[in-house]
Amino acid sequence: MALMTSRFADGLAVGSDLVEAAETAVGQALSRLSGQADLVCFFICGDDPEDVARAGQAAMKLAPEAHVIGCSATGVIGDGQGVELTPAVSAWAATLEGARLTTFALETLTAEDRFVVVGLPERNGDDHVAILLADPYTFPTDAFVERSVDVLGDLPLVGGLANGLQGRGSVRLFADGEIYTEGAIGVLLSGPVRVSTVVSQGCRPIGPSMVVTASEENLLLELAGQPALARLEDIVSELDEDDRELVASGLQIGLAMDEYAERHERGDFLIRGVIGIDPEREAVAIGDIVEIGRTVRFQVRDAATADEDLYDLLDAHREELGKVDGALLFSCNGRGSAMFGTADHDPVALRDTLGPIGVAGFFAAGEVGPVAGHNHVHGFTASVLVFSSAAGGP
């Protein structure tokens, strides 16, 4: 649990009575703050979407003076632990003196042959970050995030794709007293607030970096002048048995974010999945469109690599920032017990590296966060929004 004197605090309650759990979790977070809450976030895992809605309504009423956002999920994070596929509510509260908060709700409209997202707040020069919670079934999150630079400039987006235990139709989003069954919601943080991001994709490279010399949409046809499939087969043939098993269980590819870097190592790539091969064309299909001239490198992911990656990134972040006060954690629902054997891994990693700060979040169906200054939607990733003290501050 967070310290009683903290500007950031969290709470967690497990139980089938979701209204009671919401009141308990939010009450815990609010009671542990040193001042009045300016922002409250909560996350609800429950079997019945209507129960989730009632719990969310109850949660929003507990902090009438604060801006409040939340969503449904298949698992929640709070009080230093994760709870998966079990009725529970986690909450997070923050005192952000002087900060300006703007909640928003996004919806998608059809205009001729294209979609238009409406509801974005106007930008200001002192905007720092927007937290985004989206329904993956009704909101085009991938397209919106990838093209966010067109309307948001360099504003970082951090958050996750909500879900519900009943899948499509069971997602519930909450913002300042309103309940939404589709679209996306969030909050824009501006003014005197110090935030930063950590995005741990949990992969390590195999084989060399290679330039794409021929491609067609999401098909890699040639790498470094040779058929892409042949290049991949050569790389796999040189791996040990353990890494070959990782390739078989889910090969990834990294897209270099800085083409001018002399070397491309772990952390220098945007990770995307390898989704198939085309033997006739000797091509490799990936989960993104890659242009000719882009540098790529194949990757593998396992628990040990993901663990090391998250701890290394958090340690480096702590050294750079100094005192860290709180964090929001959006962890893939493919991590937790599925990857590490425990739902607690990611929140424990934050506590180990950043200290006993207020941390809450949820297990997402996709994570939103910037890599090398560009916003992306990720998978199997831990996306963290870190709040720290201003230089010379308390």
Side-chain angles (χ1 to χ4, degrees), residues 148-184:
S148 62
V149 67
D150 296 336
V151 290
L152 298 176
D154 60 356
L155 181 73
L157 295 175
V158 180
L161 304 188
N163 210 338
L165 292 179
Q166 304 302 321
R168 180 182 292 273
S170 68
V171 174
R172 297 293 182 269
L173 305 170
F174 307 92
D176 283 356
E178 299 294 328
I179 301 174
Y180 301 88
T181 59
E182 59 184 20

Side-chain angles (χ1 to χ4, degrees), residues 18-373:
L18 288 180
V19 171
E20 179 181 348
E23 292 174 343
T24 299
V26 175
Q28 288 174 352
L30 293 175
S31 68
R32 295 167 180 167
L33 282 182
S34 58
Q36 179 175 300
D38 296 304
L39 176 62
V40 174
C41 303
F42 64 88
F43 313 100
I44 306 173
C45 178
D47 297 312
D48 185 342
E50 297 312 310
D51 286 345
V52 171
R54 284 189 286 271
Q57 190 69 64
M60 289 187 286
K61 290 180 179 178
L62 292 175
E65 304 301 320
H67 290 283
V68 185
I69 63 170
C71 68
S72 58
T74 58
V76 302
I77 295 168
D79 199 24
Q81 60 188 296
V83 180
E84 300 170 312
L85 306 176
T86 300
V89 180
S90 67
W92 181 88
T95 298
L96 302 169
E97 294 182 3
R100 188 173 68 258
L101 308 177
T102 307
T103 54
F104 57 85
L106 307 180
E107 61 177 319
T108 307
L109 304 178
T110 303
E112 298 178 352
D113 60 343
R114 62 192 179 97
F115 292 108
V116 177
V117 174
V118 297
L120 279 170
E122 293 186 6
R123 285 293 315 275
N124 291 283
D126 62 349
D127 296 339
H128 296 295
V129 69
I131 301 168
L132 181 71
L133 308 176
D135 176 0
Y137 304 103
T138 64
F139 188 74
T141 314
D142 287 87
F144 172 75
V145 170
E146 293 295 336
R147 299 173 186 172
S148 62
V149 67
D150 296 336
V151 290
L152 298 176
D154 60 356
L155 181 73
L157 295 175
V158 180
L161 304 188
N163 210 338
L165 292 179
Q166 304 302 321
R168 180 182 292 273
S170 68
V171 174
R172 297 293 182 269
L173 305 170
F174 307 92
D176 283 356
E178 299 294 328
I179 301 174
Y180 301 88
T181 59
E182 59 184 20
I185 59 95
V187 60
L188 176 64
L189 278 63
S190 312
V193 57
R194 190 180 185 209
V195 293
S196 53
T197 60
V198 174
V199 177
S200 174
Q201 301 177 88
C203 284
R204 60 178 167 85
I206 57 171
S209 295
M210 296 169 288
V211 174
V212 177
T213 49
S215 65
E216 182 179 299
E217 295 186 346
N218 72 323
L219 282 180
L220 300 178
L221 301 175
E222 287 185 5
L223 297 174
Q226 299 295 321
L229 183 56
R231 283 286 187 182
L232 175 58
E233 290 172 342
D234 288 343
I235 292 170
V236 173
S237 69
E238 296 178 359
L239 298 177
D240 60 30
E241 184 176 348
D242 289 341
D243 278 352
R244 288 185 187 181
E245 290 182 2
L246 293 178
V247 168
S249 63
L251 179 64
Q252 313 293 316
I253 193 166
L255 314 181
M257 300 306 296
D258 181 3
E259 292 293 339
Y260 300 102
E262 293 184 5
R263 299 182 63 184
H264 295 99
E265 303 297 339
R266 188 178 71 185
D268 296 330
F269 298 93
L270 173 66
I271 304 300
R272 291 295 184 249
V274 173
I275 60 178
I277 61 173
D278 184 340
E280 292 186 2
R281 304 182 69 182
E282 295 188 86
V284 177
I286 70 171
D288 208 333
I289 296 175
V290 183
E291 298 177 349
I292 293 174
R294 192 76 180 267
T295 299
V296 300
R297 193 173 182 185
F298 288 107
Q299 314 266 331
V300 292
R301 178 189 284 122
D302 62 0
T305 298
D307 173 83
E308 180 183 350
D309 187 61
L310 180 58
Y311 272 89
D312 285 352
L313 288 172
L314 291 171
D315 281 333
H317 209 69
R318 177 61 184 266
E319 290 180 7
E320 178 182 348
L321 291 176
K323 186 175 185 296
V324 175
D325 300 320
L328 284 166
L329 169 60
F330 307 97
S331 183
C332 181
N333 55 22
R335 292 171 68 96
S337 59
M339 178 178 288
F340 301 107
T342 172
D344 303 338
H345 177 274
D346 288 354
V348 168
L350 264 67
R351 180 160 294 183
D352 287 345
T353 54
L354 303 182
I357 60 175
V359 176
F362 71 99
F363 290 99
E367 305 73 58
V368 178
V371 172

